Amino acid sequence: MENNIYIIEDKFNKLSQNLNFKSIEYTPDLITDSKIDHWIINILFGLNPNIEKLIIPIRLGYEDSECIGLRIGLHIRLTKELNEKRYIPILFVSVNESREEIVSNQISGNLLLTSLILFTPGTKLIDLFDLNETIINSLSKIDDTILKNEVLPKLIIPNERGSGHQLSNEWGALRLAKLARVKLKTLSKPTDLYFKYKFAYSDFDINATEIIKIGAIEKNCKFLIIDDNAKNGWEELILHIINSEVINKFTNKSICTSIIDFEQALTYTDLESQDVIFLDLRLKKHEENIQNESINELSGVQVLKKIKSINKGIQVIIITASNKAWNIKALLDAGADSYFIKESVEVTISDSTSQKNYNDFIESIKIAFHRNYLKVIFSRIKAINLKLESLLDSIDDKRNAFLNEIIVLIDQSFDMHYNAKTEKQFAYAYVTLYMIIEIINKEFVSVDGDKNWYIDDRLLEKWGKKNGAITYDQTNEKYRSEANKILGIAIKKLSIENTNKILLTTNSCITRRSDFIHPKTINNEGKQKITDGKIYTTDGYIELFNLIELILFSL
C-alpha cells in the first residue's frame, strides 16, 4: 500500500526523505490553471498511474501566498479526464495552520477560496509535524455521488474571467462539436477551475467521436460568419456542419468568410452573394450586457438591421447564448430568419433536447439554402421599383396612382410570401401579387359603349388555350375575362408570338388564381378539375413574378 502513496514536494519541502513514500517534484512554473491541468494529467497521473493516495503541501514554492497545493487538489477533484483517479484521498499538509486560519487569510487577501476543499469528504488537513503519526489508511476515496452531493456544493469557484459569455461561447462550441462529431483544432477545452467546476456538475460529454457524413444539397455554398469568436472554434465548426450535414462536399465546395469586428461587419460589401450569414448577437461582449440593454441596441441586431436594409431576402441565422423568449421574439421581429441558442454549462438540459436543438439547427441551415431565391427576388423588386419610380410624373396624378399602387402591391406580396408558413399564406401572397395584373388591365384595356374591348385603340381579340397552345378568334362575344385582357396585353405590348411559352405560362398563372378564388370540382367539359397546386408553393410565386416583371419592364 505504501508504494502507492505519493507526496508532491519541492526543494523547500523534502517530505519524502524520512518517509517511505514516493515523491513527485513540483516545479515553480505551475501557477496557471492551464499548466496545472497539463501537469496533473500528463505528469502527475500520466507518469504515475498507480497513485492511490496523495499528500500535498498546501503551500508549494517560496512564499506561496496563494496555496498552490490547494489549487492542485481542486484541479484533481474537478478534472473529468482523470476518471476514477479524481476520487483518490488527498492529505493536505500545513505548518501550524488550521482550516479556519487558511480560509480567513484567503478572504482577507481576496484570493480564490481554494481552501474550501479542506471541508469536503476525501480530504484531510494535518500539521507537518504530525505527519508521521497520521494513520494514512483512515482516509478513504470518494465516488461520483459524494462528489456531486457533498463536495461540489461546498465549493465557491468564481468566474475569474469576469464574463460568463466567453464561457458560453466555448462550452456551446464544444457541445455542438460533440453533436456534430468533429474534434475541433481551433478550440481546446478550457482549463480554468470555474469551467471545470460547472462541467463537473453536468453529465454531458464533450469528447467528440468523428464520423463521415455527406449532405444532400448539390450546389456550391458561400457563407459568412460574423462573430468575434469565429476563429475560436465556430468557423471550423460551422464549416464542418455544412460540409457534412448540408451539402455534398465531394461534388461541391464551401467558401467561408469570417468577420470578427463589429465595425467591419457594418461596412462589409459582399453580403448579397452569401447563401447564409451566421451572426453572433453580441460582437462587442466587453461593452454589452444583454441583461441590462434593449436587445435592439446590441451590436448583432444593428448588423442584422443593416443586412436587411440592403436586401431583406438575405438569409441570416442568429447565434446567441440567450434563451429568453422575449429576446427571441425581438430577434425575429428585427428580421432574423432563424436562430440557434448556444448551450450553456450553467443550464441543464436533457440529451434528447440537446440533440433536437442540433437537428433544428441543421434544418434551419437547409431551409436558409432553399430560401436563397428570396434575395434574388428582392433585388429584382428593387430594380422594378426604380423603373416605376422613374416613370412617375408630378403632373399626371392618375398615372402616378397606377404606378404607386403597383409598387405597394409588389412589396406587400413579397412580405407576405417571405413570412408565409402555411399553404393558404403562400396562396394569399400569390393572389396579392396577381392584383398587379388586374390594375395593369384596368390601366391599358378600355371598353366602348358597345362593350368592345381595346388595347391602345386596337380591338382585343378573344384569346384561349386549345391543345396546349394559345389561340384567338374574332368572335362577337362581348365578355372579356381578366385572363383574356392580360393575354392581350402580353401579346400587344410585348409583341410575343401567340404560340410562345410565355403566353401558356400567363394562362397558367391566371387559371391558378381563378381556381383558388372560384374553386370548382368539375371543369367546363364535365370532368374532374385538376389543379397544379403551384399557388401554394415557391415555384408558383416565382412563375407569376417572372411574368409580372416582364410586363412591367415593357411599360
Side-chain angles (χ1 to χ4, degrees):
M1 172 63 71
E2 289 184 350
N3 289 333
N4 293 329
I5 299 176
Y6 286 70
I7 299 176
I8 297 175
E9 59 184 6
D10 58 19
K11 63 181 181 180
F12 303 104
N13 297 285
K14 293 295 184 180
L15 303 180
S16 63
Q17 291 178 348
N18 300 317
L19 299 170
N20 189 25
F21 303 137
K22 294 182 179 180
S23 68
I24 301 170
E25 183 181 2
Y26 163 80
T27 55
D29 65 334
L30 294 179
I31 57 176
T32 65
D33 286 329
S34 60
K35 288 183 177 181
I36 293 174
D37 178 80
H38 180 271
W39 184 75
I40 66 169
I41 293 174
N42 298 285
I43 306 299
L44 179 61
F45 290 100
L47 299 181
N48 306 283
N50 296 322
I51 296 177
E52 292 186 8
K53 293 186 180 181
L54 191 61
I55 301 172
I56 310 176
I58 64 168
R59 301 187 188 276
L60 289 164
Y62 181 69
E63 293 186 351
D64 176 16
S65 61
E66 296 191 2
C67 300
I68 295 298
L70 296 178
R71 198 173 192 107
I72 291 174
L74 273 176
H75 271 280
I76 292 171
R77 283 289 185 258
L78 301 177
T79 301
K80 281 189 174 182
E81 289 88 340
L82 295 177
N83 299 313
E84 290 295 316
K85 291 299 180 183
R86 65 182 174 143
Y87 304 131
I88 65 168
I90 301 175
L91 183 66
F92 291 104
V93 180
S94 70
V95 179
N96 297 322
E97 288 182 283
S98 68
R99 295 187 306 180
E100 290 72 18
E101 288 173 327
I102 297 171
V103 172
S104 177
N105 289 336
Q106 288 201 328
I107 292 175
S108 63
N110 293 318
L111 298 174
L112 176 65
L113 290 176
T114 54
S115 53
L116 292 181
I117 192 174
L118 299 174
F119 296 83
T120 63
T123 65
K124 187 174 184 179
L125 177 67
I126 190 167
D127 190 277
L128 173 63
F129 301 106
D130 296 329
L131 185 58
N132 277 325
E133 300 178 8
T134 301
I135 303 174
I136 302 299
N137 291 330
S138 65
L139 197 60
S140 301
K141 67 183 296 187
I142 63 171
D143 56 27
D144 191 62
T145 300
I146 293 175
L147 177 73
K148 289 187 176 179
N149 295 334
E150 300 183 47
V151 176
L152 298 180
K154 294 181 180 180
L155 303 178
I156 299 175
I157 311 291
N159 183 1
E160 293 184 311
R161 291 186 280 183
S163 170
H165 298 293
Q166 184 62 29
L167 179 63
S168 296
N169 277 298
E170 293 167 343
W171 173 259
L174 291 168
R175 274 297 293 163
L176 192 58
K178 166 69 177 178
L179 296 166
R181 307 189 76 167
V182 56
K183 294 181 179 179
L184 295 176
K185 298 180 179 64
T186 54
L187 178 65
S188 300
K189 190 190 75 173
T191 58
D192 60 281
L193 284 172
Y194 184 74
F195 176 88
K196 287 186 174 185
Y197 171 65
K198 291 296 184 180
F199 188 27
Y201 259 120
S202 79
D203 294 321
F204 281 135
D205 181 16
I206 53 175
N207 295 312
T209 302
E210 294 188 286
I211 188 172
I212 297 176
K213 292 184 179 181
I214 302 175
I217 295 178
E218 296 287 345
K219 63 167 285 185
N220 291 334
C221 165
K222 188 174 182 180
F223 64 97
L224 175 66
I225 300 173
I226 305 176
D227 189 341
D228 57 342
N229 281 289
K231 300 301 181 183
N232 297 325
W234 285 97
E235 177 185 303
E236 179 188 356
L237 182 54
I238 293 175
L239 181 61
H240 170 83
I241 289 173
I242 287 178
N243 284 337
S244 63
E245 301 276 13
V246 182
I247 73 166
N248 186 333
K249 66 180 178 181
F250 296 107
T251 57
N252 303 278
K253 64 179 181 179
S254 299
I255 301 173
C256 174
T257 303
S258 294
I259 296 175
I260 62 174
D261 180 73
F262 170 63
E263 298 299 333
Q264 183 186 359
L266 288 177
T267 58
Y268 189 70
T269 58
D270 194 28
L271 296 171
E272 289 188 280
S273 71
Q274 308 298 326
D275 290 297
V276 190
I277 295 177
F278 298 89
L279 175 60
D280 185 32
L281 182 58
R282 297 190 324 125
L283 300 170
K284 301 187 295 182
K285 291 181 174 58
H286 296 297
E287 303 173 30
E288 298 175 306
N289 186 338
I290 196 169
Q291 304 296 331
N292 300 326
E293 291 188 61
S294 165
I295 196 167
N296 290 311
E297 297 175 358
L298 294 177
S299 53
V301 176
Q302 293 178 48
V303 174
L304 172 64
K305 291 180 178 179
K306 174 67 181 295
I307 293 170
K308 293 298 183 174
S309 71
I310 294 171
N311 187 318
K312 186 175 181 178
I314 297 173
Q315 296 298 292
V316 181
I317 299 176
I318 294 287
I319 307 292
T320 177
S322 172
N323 60 358
K324 295 179 174 60
W326 55 88
N327 288 337
I328 299 303
K329 181 180 184 304
L331 288 175
L332 297 175
D333 289 344
D337 295 282
S338 185
Y339 60 89
F340 174 73
I341 299 175
K342 301 173 185 177
E343 288 192 19
S344 170
V345 70
E346 297 178 308
V347 178
T348 301
I349 61 175
S350 66
D351 276 322
S352 59
T353 299
S354 187
Q355 185 64 52
K356 181 181 182 303
N357 290 342
Y358 175 71
N359 294 340
D360 289 346
F361 184 43
I362 302 303
E363 189 62 26
S364 70
I365 297 173
K366 292 178 180 178
I367 291 172
F369 272 87
H370 289 303
R371 282 169 59 88
N372 204 37
Y373 71 93
L374 289 168
K375 71 177 181 183
V376 179
I377 294 291
F378 190 87
S379 292
R380 291 162 64 185
I381 287 175
K382 288 198 295 186
I384 290 172
N385 287 345
L386 285 174
K387 160 75 173 178
L388 298 179
E389 288 167 1
S390 71
L391 299 176
L392 290 172
D393 186 340
S394 59
I395 300 175
D396 191 340
D397 291 339
K398 182 176 180 297
R399 175 76 164 176
N400 291 344
F402 161 69
L403 295 172
N404 282 322
E405 191 172 2
I406 292 177
I407 292 173
V408 170
L409 284 172
I410 203 167
D411 289 342
Q412 285 181 344
S413 72
F414 178 84
D415 286 343
M416 293 172 69
H417 181 81
Y418 177 92
N419 294 306
K421 298 293 186 295
T422 66
E423 285 190 347
K424 279 194 174 182
Q425 288 172 340
F426 278 104
Y428 293 151
Y430 185 101
V431 170
T432 301
L433 184 63
Y434 179 87
M435 291 171 64
I436 294 174
I437 286 179
E438 294 175 326
I439 65 172
I440 289 175
N441 286 345
K442 185 177 179 181
E443 179 72 12
F444 292 102
V445 179
S446 59
V447 61
D448 64 17
D450 295 325
K451 300 295 184 181
N452 295 309
W453 295 88
Y454 296 88
I455 301 174
D456 294 340
D457 299 325
R458 297 168 63 185
L459 191 64
L460 173 60
E461 296 168 311
K462 182 173 175 58
W463 303 93
K465 186 173 76 169
K466 185 175 182 181
N467 298 326
I470 297 296
T471 63
Y472 64 96
D473 58 48
Q474 299 289 346
T475 178
N476 290 325
E477 180 187 347
K478 300 297 185 181
Y479 172 74
R480 294 289 184 266
S481 66
E482 294 294 332
N484 204 116
K485 295 172 188 176
I486 198 63
L487 279 168
I489 291 173
I491 294 170
K492 298 297 183 182
K493 302 290 288 183
L494 304 181
S495 301
I496 300 173
E497 293 293 332
N498 63 352
T499 56
N500 192 284
K501 179 182 177 180
I502 295 177
L503 295 180
L504 294 173
T505 299
T506 304
N507 190 68
S508 296
C509 288
I510 296 162
T511 301
R512 199 173 292 138
R513 177 264 182 191
S514 298
D515 290 342
F516 177 75
I517 297 298
H518 309 291
K520 296 179 181 179
T521 57
I522 305 299
N523 62 20
N524 294 333
E525 299 174 354
K527 298 180 180 179
Q528 186 72 30
K529 190 172 183 61
I530 300 174
T531 61
D532 62 15
K534 283 187 175 182
I535 196 170
Y536 304 111
T537 68
T538 293
D539 290 342
Y541 184 88
I542 293 175
E543 191 171 72
L544 178 59
F545 180 85
N546 290 341
L547 169 65
I548 289 176
E549 179 186 49
L550 183 64
I551 294 173
L552 291 177
F553 272 106
S554 71
L555 296 179

